[in-house]
Amino acid sequence: MATAHQVDARDGSVVPLAVDTLCLHSDTAGADRLAIRVRAALDAAGATVRAIVRPESQQTAPEGSTALRVPLNAAALRPAFAGASVVVHLAGVVESVRAGGYAAVNVTGTEAVARAAREAGARLVHISSLAAAGPAPATAPRSEDLPPNPITDYGRSKLAGERAVAEVEGLDWTILRPGAVYGPGDRALLPDRKSTRLNSSHIPLSRMPSSA
C-alpha cells in the first residue's frame, strides 16, 4: 500500500492518503492529460491505478493502467470502483453549443460517480474548476470564503456538480478547483498561450500624462 498526501479543502490541513487501488475516471482530452500525470505520480508511489472511461469515449487509458469502459451511471460504476481506496473524478464537458449540454456529465454524471464511490467505500477526489468560483473581485484575489459567482454556463455546471457531491450523504470527499489546464496535446488553450507569448512584445502601452 502506498501513501500519498493531499490538502483537505475543507480545513486546509495536509492529510495522509493511503492508496492501494485508485480509479481514475476520465474521458475528455483535458482530463486525459491530467490523468496521465496523476497516474504517473501514483505509480511512482506504488499505487495500482484503474482507468475508467465511457464506452463511447475516444480516449485511451493512461499507459500502465488497467482500462475499464463503463457507462456514466451509478449502477454500472459501483462494481468498477469495487476495491478502490480512492476515486479521482476528472471527466467533464468543457465545450457545448447548448447551456444544458454541460449538465449530463458535469452534474448528473458527477452525482453518479459520487454515489458509486460512496457505495464502494472509496474516498472521492473531485476535480472541479476555478470557473465554479467565478472571477475574483477587482480589489483582491479570490478566497474560499467568498461566495461562488460563476459567470459561464460551464462554471455554473461545475458548481452544481460540486454541490451534488456535497449532498451525497456518507461520502468522504475532497473537491479541487484547478485553473486552466494546458500543455502538450492541447488543441484549445495551448495555441492561445503560444500566441500570447509570441506577440507579447507587441502589447500596446498608453502614454502616461505628464506631471509637469
Side-chain angles (χ1 to χ4, degrees):
M1 178 177 291
T3 301
H5 292 83
Q6 67 177 12
V7 177
D8 192 316
R10 285 165 286 186
D11 60 14
S13 61
V14 178
V15 295
L17 181 63
V19 178
D20 46 16
T21 299
L22 179 140
C23 290
L24 280 178
H25 186 256
S26 65
D27 58 2
T28 58
D32 188 53
R33 291 192 300 278
L34 277 175
I36 290 170
R37 286 154 180 77
V38 171
R39 188 213 62 80
L42 287 161
D43 185 59
T48 299
V49 179
R50 187 186 308 158
I52 298 173
V53 297
R54 291 179 294 172
E56 66 273 20
S57 173
Q58 299 302 308
Q59 298 298 324
T60 58
E63 184 179 352
S65 303
T66 300
L68 296 175
R69 293 190 173 271
V70 181
L72 189 54
N73 63 72
L77 289 167
R78 193 177 304 117
F81 292 168
S85 302
V86 179
V87 172
V88 179
H89 180 43
L90 290 160
V93 172
V94 297
E95 294 181 347
S96 176
V97 296
R98 297 178 297 105
Y102 297 100
V105 173
N106 297 353
V107 185
T108 306
T110 294
E111 181 181 5
V113 170
R115 292 188 179 281
R118 180 195 61 187
E119 295 302 317
R123 181 185 185 93
L124 176 65
V125 178
H126 173 48
I127 309 301
S128 182
S129 170
L130 196 58
T139 54
R142 169 168 282 281
S143 72
E144 291 188 3
D145 296 329
L146 292 175
N149 183 33
I151 59 173
T152 64
D153 292 327
Y154 168 70
R156 285 185 281 271
S157 73
K158 295 300 283 186
L159 179 60
E162 291 181 5
R163 289 171 172 168
V165 167
E167 290 172 1
V168 176
E169 198 170 332
L171 175 67
D172 188 10
W173 55 267
T174 296
I175 294 173
L176 303 177
R177 288 175 173 171
V181 177
Y182 62 95
D186 175 32
R187 297 181 181 179
L189 292 174
L190 185 58
D192 289 341
R193 297 303 186 273
K194 287 182 176 179
S195 176
T196 300
R197 183 182 64 185
L198 290 172
N199 295 308
S200 60
S201 60
H202 302 289
I203 298 175
L205 299 176
S206 59
R207 183 181 297 275
M208 298 295 291
S210 172
S211 58

